[in-house]
């Protein structure tokens, strides 16, 4: 079993910044990719940023140029630096990880979610 623990959410004014962190622990042979989804009230969960173990990144158009994803492979941790935040960024942010277990099976895991609220 793998656990993902997120931190760093909160309330910030429009134009401000927040940094989210997500640490994975448990039965991990390797992590293939990590990233962040978000879900706003009444909307579907959307992928906003991902990073592979090799460092390749991808972003949703809505956050390009404002958000930066990075990782520390030694710590099994992924970060999301969010700058120039807008009220429409308000959502619950979920960390995910695609993990290869010691038995070579590949599973997707999710964090519990952290609330990000951007006020006017």
């Amino acid at each position: 079993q793998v656990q993902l623990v997120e931190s760093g959410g909160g309330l910030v004014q429009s134009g401000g910044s927040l940094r989210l962190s997500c640490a994975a622990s448990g039965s991990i042979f390797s992590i293939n990719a990590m990233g962040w989804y978000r879900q706003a009230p009444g909307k579907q969960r959307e992928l906003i940023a991902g990073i592979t173990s090799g460092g390749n990144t991808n972003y949703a158009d809505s956050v390009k140029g404002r958000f930066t994803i990075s990782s520390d492979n030694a710590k099994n941790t992924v970060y999301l630096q969010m700058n120039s935040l807008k009220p429409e960024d308000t959502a619950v942010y979920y960390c995910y990880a695609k993990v290869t277990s010691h038995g070579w099976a590949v599973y997707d895991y999710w964090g519990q979610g952290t609330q990000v609220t951007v006020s006017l």
Side-chain angles (χ1 to χ4, degrees):
Q1 192 71 351
V2 172
Q3 297 77 42
L4 301 181
V5 178
E6 300 150 340
S7 61
L11 173 64
V12 64
Q13 288 188 329
S14 182
S17 299
L18 282 174
R19 188 189 193 215
L20 305 183
S21 300
C22 173
S25 62
S27 182
I28 299 171
F29 176 75
S30 66
I31 296 180
N32 306 330
M34 297 185 78
W36 296 90
Y37 282 71
R38 69 184 180 189
Q39 187 167 20
K43 295 188 177 181
Q44 290 188 330
R45 190 175 296 190
E46 62 170 340
L47 174 65
I48 57 169
I51 186 167
T52 68
S53 58
N56 294 318
T57 60
N58 63 283
Y59 297 92
D61 288 343
S62 58
V63 305
K64 279 181 182 177
R66 300 188 298 122
F67 291 10
T68 302
I69 190 170
S70 60
S71 64
D72 184 334
N73 293 340
K75 295 182 179 180
N76 290 334
T77 299
V78 65
Y79 307 95
L80 186 67
Q81 178 65 44
M82 304 186 292
N83 298 330
S84 302
L85 283 161
K86 305 174 182 179
E88 50 263 44
D89 294 317
T90 295
V92 178
Y93 284 68
Y94 296 91
C95 171
Y96 82 89
K98 187 174 290 294
V99 175
T100 299
S101 70
H102 291 284
W104 298 101
V106 178
Y107 300 101
D108 291 333
Y109 293 94
W110 294 88
Q112 78 282 3
T114 186
Q115 178 69 46
V116 171
T117 302
V118 184
S119 64
L120 290 170

